[in-house]
Amino acid sequence: MKRILTLATIIMVAALNFSVGLLRTNCFAQVPYQIVYDGSEVNTTVKQTTSGGYILYGHGQNYAAEFADFTLFELDASYNVTWSYNYSLGADEAGYGGFNKTSDGGYILTGYSNIASAGNEDITLIKVDASGNVQWDERYGGSLNDKGYIASQTTDGGYITFGSAMVTFSPVNLNYYLLKTTATGTQSWGMHIGGSNYELAGFSLLQTSDGGYIFVGSTKTYGQAPGSTYDIHLVKTNSTGLIDWTKTYGGAGDDYGSALIQTTDGGYLIAGNAAFGAGANDAFLLKTDASGNFLWGKTYGGTALDQFSSVIQTTDGGFAAVGLTWSWSFGQNDVFLVRTDNTGAELWSRRYGSTISDNGTSIHQTSSGGFVIGGNTTVLGGGGAYFIVTDANGLGPGICPYEASILLSDASFTPSVSSGGTSTAYGSRTNAIFSRSPGGTARTDVCIVLSVKIASFTAKESINGNILEWTTETESDNDY
């Protein structure tokens, strides 16, 4: 069977050696497992459990009540659902993926709800046990909108929540907001941090060794052009939320800080997007020392919008960041995974997704050295929580969902018309995806693997671009 692909740029190298991962068709990077949970789940955060399974948190649609609920569900090591909960407080609730494990084996969840509140939206904390059963829930806020983005347990056994608070409605003014509670959810203190313009909270908060806190966001008040553009904003506070120091980073355009980790050298790494890369906004990593002093910054992406939402330090000292890309997507935006060394130099990048909208919102390195990604996708028409598992190279033996198309393996090979080259390709029937409707079960019979032998492979220039053309000698199960 003959295949033709037109590329805008030539990717041919000496002796027609091709890195076939550069051939982007309507199919996706090979992954060992991906699953979509129907129900408009978004901002899905994933963590590995002590039993080798996974726990995912976000918010999804309550079909009966027609509003959103907090959603938490657990997978075992074979990716089967062991339990799932929708936490409904009687009105719209949203969990922005902000949850963490607690010392008793349970979890602390945060987001917002608008039930029985003094304002429109209130910060909400929900404490659950290891099986997802609610132990307590509390709401906090003022007369306007307040949202929790991340919550974690503090060294004193209580909890700290980071999010945003609306200071004025007209004109709209947002501040960062820190909320400290006891172990049972009683508020100890709350702190507004910000100025007269917008401060956009990121999705990370860390407790520092001195008992204080550090978080990242984006400021329109304290940047290089106050009131005009956003700069990345790193803020260190003491144990009661009073500012110790702040740092801003950015250029002439809008730059955003979304995620923050402390690195093994005691410094920090910020992930987000910046306006000074190759495209409209590029995904961005920024490294600082322990005092927030800039060490290096690197951009990743193409000519369109690319951004990071989550970052981790890997076991070898490098980094892995996930977000979305419009530059190299198969339709709209796709999940974007980038692996770097400890200086931010890119080692490889992968894209996963459908022909619609897909986004990676969290990443975790597994005990086996691979990665699990949580996110959201609109492939099922509405929305769904997107769960991806890869090996240490972002690949796998796996599946190729959604499109009836072909993708050659990422291993380089030397095609030859006379002797033929052998590789592996993956394909699937239309809309091939592991999915679970509410109350339903996962479909596991929709993806197929094609074994392909390449008979010929050529590259040539044309008026419209560069054409890669190959002919397959044999294919199995070729009815798609």
Side-chain angles (χ1 to χ4, degrees), residues 56-301:
L56 293 92
Y57 172 63
H59 63 268
Q61 184 69 26
N62 183 321
Y63 291 100
E66 297 184 351
F67 49 67
D69 287 341
F70 302 109
T71 303
L72 184 72
F73 56 98
E74 185 185 67
L75 308 178
D76 63 21
S78 299
Y79 318 122
N80 301 304
V81 178
T82 55
W83 53 260
S84 63
Y85 282 97
N86 281 356
Y87 304 103
S88 177
L89 303 178
D92 273 335
E93 294 95 24
Y96 290 94
F99 87 114
N100 270 299
K101 298 178 183 178
T102 54
S103 58
D104 61 359
Y107 304 94
I108 186 73
L109 320 177
T110 192
Y112 76 83
S113 61
N114 61 10
I115 179 175
S117 64
N120 295 313
E121 297 166 348
D122 280 350
I123 294 172
T124 301
L125 283 182
I126 303 176
K127 176 66 176 71
V128 302
D129 64 19
S131 299
N133 301 300
V134 175
Q135 296 174 305
W136 54 260
D137 64 87
E138 296 287 348
R139 286 160 296 283
Y140 320 82
S143 59
L144 297 175
N145 293 339
D146 308 292
K147 300 178 179 181
Y149 292 157
I150 184 68
S152 59
Q153 194 167 30
T154 52
T155 53
D156 63 1
Y159 300 98
I160 188 74
T161 301
F162 175 56
S164 68
M166 185 179 289
V167 181
T168 59
F169 180 75
S170 182
V172 174
N173 179 19
L174 293 177
N175 279 179
Y176 308 124
Y177 191 64
L178 285 178
L179 170 71
K180 179 68 174 67
T181 74
T182 66
T184 56
T186 301
Q187 181 170 336
S188 302
W189 52 261
M191 185 67 69
H192 289 259
I193 300 174
S196 58
N197 288 294
Y198 277 85
E199 267 66 61
L200 301 180
F203 296 89
S204 299
L205 171 75
L206 307 174
Q207 187 169 24
T208 53
S209 58
D210 63 359
Y213 306 98
I214 190 166
F215 61 83
V216 71
S218 311
T219 178
K220 211 172 191 179
T221 301
Y222 306 110
Q224 295 192 36
S228 178
T229 58
Y230 287 101
D231 277 357
I232 296 169
H233 198 194
L234 185 63
V235 181
K236 168 70 173 68
T237 78
N238 67 11
S239 60
T240 60
L242 297 175
I243 292 176
D244 286 336
W245 52 259
T246 70
K247 301 283 185 178
T248 60
Y249 320 88
D254 288 324
D255 309 296
Y256 301 93
S258 297
L260 173 72
I261 60 171
Q262 188 165 28
T263 52
T264 53
D265 62 2
Y268 299 97
L269 186 77
I270 298 169
N273 59 291
F276 45 83
N281 269 84
D282 275 358
F284 188 53
L285 293 180
L286 187 153
K287 181 71 174 68
T288 78
D289 64 16
S291 300
N293 298 307
F294 178 87
L295 296 179
W296 54 257
K298 301 287 176 68
T299 59
Y300 312 83

Side-chain angles (χ1 to χ4, degrees), residues 5-27:
L5 179 65
T6 300
L7 299 182
T9 56
I10 193 73
I11 60 172
M12 184 165 55
V13 296
L16 279 180
N17 288 315
F18 287 85
S19 176
V20 190
L22 296 176
L23 305 182
R24 290 190 274 274
T25 72
N26 288 331
C27 200

Side-chain angles (χ1 to χ4, degrees), residues 341-401:
D341 65 15
N342 63 355
T343 68
E346 182 175 326
L347 301 177
W348 48 258
S349 64
R350 309 282 182 240
R351 274 73 63 190
Y352 317 98
S354 67
T355 57
I356 311 179
S357 177
D358 312 284
N359 183 22
T361 54
S362 75
I363 185 169
H364 178 84
Q365 188 168 29
T366 64
S367 54
S368 63
F371 301 101
V372 289
I373 298 168
N376 51 277
T377 178
T378 58
V379 68
L380 297 181
Y386 196 11
F387 175 66
I388 302 170
V389 185
T390 82
D391 63 18
N393 295 310
L395 302 171
I399 63 172
C400 177

